Amino acid sequence: MTGLYPDNRRVCPTGRMVFYHLGELTLRISSVTDPPTVQITRGVQLHLLDLLDTDITRTRWPQT
């Protein structure tokens, strides 16, 4: 996988590296009418979310 390091070398992602990059994600809580959003600051975070087949627009628990 490329993009984990600044020089774009190909490496095998470890669990530690995955959690490090995903740990930098920021959840932005909005008002009552706006849903919360996730701020992705680096392209590697988006790439990891795509590899994990994670939809960040769906909440874990349905709103009641």
Side-chain angles (χ1 to χ4, degrees):
M1 181 173 160
T2 58
L4 290 176
Y5 290 110
D7 58 356
N8 286 332
R9 61 184 152 162
R10 295 179 63 85
V11 294
C12 181
T14 62
R16 182 178 182 175
M17 288 171 34
V18 169
F19 284 126
Y20 171 78
H21 288 289
L22 292 181
E24 296 175 347
L25 289 174
T26 306
L27 179 65
R28 187 177 216 183
I29 300 174
S30 301
S31 65
V32 175
T33 58
D34 295 329
T37 57
V38 176
Q39 286 184 299
I40 298 174
T41 56
R42 301 177 70 191
V44 68
Q45 295 167 340
L46 183 61
H47 189 60
L48 284 171
L49 290 172
D50 285 341
L51 286 175
L52 294 171
D53 195 27
T54 305
D55 184 15
I56 59 174
T57 59
R58 284 185 44 218
T59 57
R60 186 171 179 182
W61 294 282
Q63 303 252 344
T64 57

